Amino acid sequence: MGKGAVVGTAVVACAAAAAAVGVAVVVSRRRRRRKEAEDERKRKAAAVVEEVEQAFSTPTALLRGIADAMVEEMERGLRADPHAPLKMLISYVDNLPTGDEHGLFYALDLGGTNFRVIRVQLGGREKRVMKQEYEEVSIPPHLMIGTSTELFDFIAAELEKFVRTEGEDFHLPDGKQRELGFTFSFPVHQTSISSGTLIKWTKGFSINGTVGEDVVAELSRAMERQGLDMKVTALVNDTVGTLAGGRYLDNDVVAAVILGTGTNAAYVEHANAIPKWNGLLPKSGNMVINMEWGNFRSNKLPSSEYDKALDFESLNPGEQIYEKMISGMYLGEIVRRILLKLAHDASLFGDVVPPKLEQLFVLRTPDMSAMHHDTSHDLKHLGAKLKDILGVPDTSLEARYITLHVCDLVAERGARLAAAGIYGILKKLGKDKLPNDFSQQRTVIAMDGGLYEHYRKFSTCLEATLADLLGEEAASSVVVKLANDGSGIGAALLAASHSEYAEAAWF
């Protein structure tokens, strides 16, 4: 090989080496930039998560302050303060079931797009509920926006058909009229145990001619048109019905709480502690109060940017503030809003924000619960849920763990705030401490609603928080008890305890 060839080869080799070095430098720079970008993304994600942790923090001292605020608002409502967020509605239920009730009673439970008709045969303290039957009926959509007459005629017709199926196991004594408890879960201004005027329709109903009218009178006229000989003896809210059903099974029940799609509470108040009560005090000395506690609000409630945005964009801004923090309608939506911020600020689900994540209420609380209860090491079930709901084909393990943590933060805050509300009721009743004689009298809270019943981590956290607020000694006497589907049977029991044929058995 000549000298020139050798030199040429060396030059080519040097050029190739230089090119290789250049490529390596480029690759190294790209890797460094990718690592820097990934580190920056992780830093942003951590910053959002830290901000949420701080905003959703509910230290015990804060919960005690919220409970005190709840007591203060309860007292304002009982004084009929027009500016009180808690209306503390008088239910006119002054004698709850005792277990001595006898006879055949019906209930109608209307609270949404379905209603239930129920009948029970009661056999007194020894036999209790001897037999019960029910039927669920869907309301045709056109009746939800039709006229009052059309709606109540449909309901009365279905009730009349149900009565016609009454078998030999159910017995109505001669000369007695069938009696009905009517659970009506819409805002009502109650004027007696068996009358109340509709304030407004909710839950998708928009019916002319009923607002301001007595809903019991509307139902009674419809039953007459169907030739149905039945009298409404009790008009009740579903929470009051749950309280009645709980008391029937356990005489130590003092309050009922519903934690489902929405939330509410009712409790037994001393009649002389109700300044707005006009007229004779009830013989029992007690009165059930429907708190409508979903509308509780206080500057002590830890309202985050996500809560404020949710409220602002809701159909009822400024209302139901407490409900929007603790109920099943909203928990999944709060999680969605936090994940959306993580997607925008920290590319949690990749470079493109999943379009479905922009949709209001696309993430429901049952989905949140299913993700939260995933115990697999790689959270594969949570990942499958995110794929089904958000359309993200593949999520990183980091994204799945962050999602799990967000669910934990939102559920824990909701459960702890709900526990603070229950603690407030116990404080109002003076049952937050053991009696001076240290007697172990039980205090029972009847709980109903799918959120409490099915979201195990939520209910476990609620009970643990309530025990912490009460302290070891007082907590030993307080029992939280599931009263599954108590509102329907509770209405029938209230029809029995307020029957015109029975002597009142007071509290």
Side-chain angles (χ1 to χ4, degrees), residues 28-343:
S28 176
R29 285 174 181 168
R30 285 176 180 170
R31 285 176 179 167
R32 187 169 65 250
R33 282 199 294 269
R34 279 200 299 268
K35 186 177 184 308
E36 288 173 352
E38 181 64 11
D39 289 344
E40 177 65 9
R41 188 195 62 74
K42 288 185 176 182
R43 186 193 65 76
K44 288 179 178 178
V48 173
V49 170
E50 183 180 3
E51 172 266 322
V52 173
E53 289 172 342
Q54 292 175 355
F56 281 59
S57 175
T58 51
T60 301
L62 174 66
L63 297 181
R64 292 188 184 281
I66 290 169
D68 290 340
M70 178 72 80
V71 173
E72 185 178 326
E73 294 303 334
M74 291 170 73
E75 291 173 344
R76 286 178 64 197
L78 292 172
R79 292 196 303 269
D81 183 335
H83 303 297
L86 296 182
K87 297 309 177 187
M88 305 298 284
L89 302 176
I90 294 171
S91 71
Y92 292 88
V93 171
D94 58 354
N95 54 308
L96 285 165
T98 62
D100 292 321
E101 293 78 15
H102 286 80
L104 170 63
F105 295 92
Y106 279 79
L108 168 63
D109 190 350
L110 175 62
T113 55
N114 299 324
F115 68 87
R116 287 186 308 148
V117 285
I118 303 158
R119 61 172 153 251
V120 295
Q121 186 76 40
L122 303 174
R125 192 166 294 276
E126 295 300 320
K127 297 181 179 179
R128 293 285 177 154
V129 177
M130 298 170 64
K131 187 174 178 63
Q132 62 176 306
E133 294 176 341
Y134 77 92
E135 189 171 307
E136 189 158 320
V137 182
S138 295
I139 299 175
H142 72 276
L143 292 182
M144 296 173 63
I145 55 173
T147 67
S148 178
T149 299
E150 290 171 335
L151 174 66
F152 282 99
D153 277 353
F154 175 77
I155 292 170
E158 293 296 324
L159 180 57
E160 191 273 335
K161 281 195 286 187
F162 183 65
V163 171
R164 276 194 276 121
T165 65
E166 189 179 283
E168 293 181 359
D169 291 334
F170 297 91
H171 176 65
L172 182 72
D174 293 338
K176 287 191 176 182
Q177 185 182 26
R178 287 179 179 82
E179 293 178 300
L180 174 83
F182 185 15
T183 301
F184 187 75
S185 301
F186 298 90
V188 165
H189 172 62
Q190 196 137 357
T191 50
S192 75
I193 184 59
S194 59
S195 62
T197 56
L198 177 66
I199 297 171
K200 64 178 178 179
W201 286 107
T202 57
K203 306 176 186 178
F205 285 76
S206 180
I207 295 172
N208 294 323
T210 319
V211 173
E213 297 296 322
D214 184 346
V215 293
V216 171
E218 293 280 340
L219 176 60
S220 298
R221 286 192 291 267
M223 288 193 297
E224 287 176 11
R225 289 192 291 269
Q226 293 295 326
L228 181 56
D229 185 23
M230 183 177 283
K231 181 179 180 180
V232 178
T233 54
L235 172 66
V236 297
N237 163 276
D238 56 352
T239 319
V240 175
T242 299
L243 176 55
R247 175 63 74 92
Y248 183 75
L249 297 173
D250 190 328
N251 200 48
D252 293 327
V253 169
V254 299
V257 175
I258 291 180
L259 280 163
T261 303
T263 184
N264 194 14
Y267 74 105
V268 181
E269 181 60 275
H270 302 295
N272 57 12
I274 310 173
K276 68 181 179 182
W277 174 258
N278 294 316
L280 296 174
L281 289 177
K283 291 180 183 178
S284 66
N286 294 304
M287 179 65 68
V288 175
I289 298 295
N290 167 21
M291 291 176 63
E292 292 294 336
W293 85 346
N295 204 42
F296 170 63
R297 58 181 179 271
S298 166
N299 57 14
K300 291 182 171 20
L301 288 173
S303 183
S304 68
E305 65 177 271
Y306 309 98
D307 300 300
K308 291 170 184 173
L310 185 155
D311 177 52
F312 180 77
E313 295 171 26
S314 70
L315 298 174
N316 55 345
E319 299 178 14
Q320 302 298 108
I321 299 300
Y322 190 49
E323 181 171 82
K324 289 170 183 172
M325 291 184 170
I326 70 172
S327 80
M329 177 75 182
Y330 300 101
L331 295 184
E333 173 63 7
I334 296 170
V335 169
R336 182 197 71 83
R337 288 171 180 269
I338 296 170
L339 294 180
L340 181 61
K341 181 163 186 178
L342 282 160

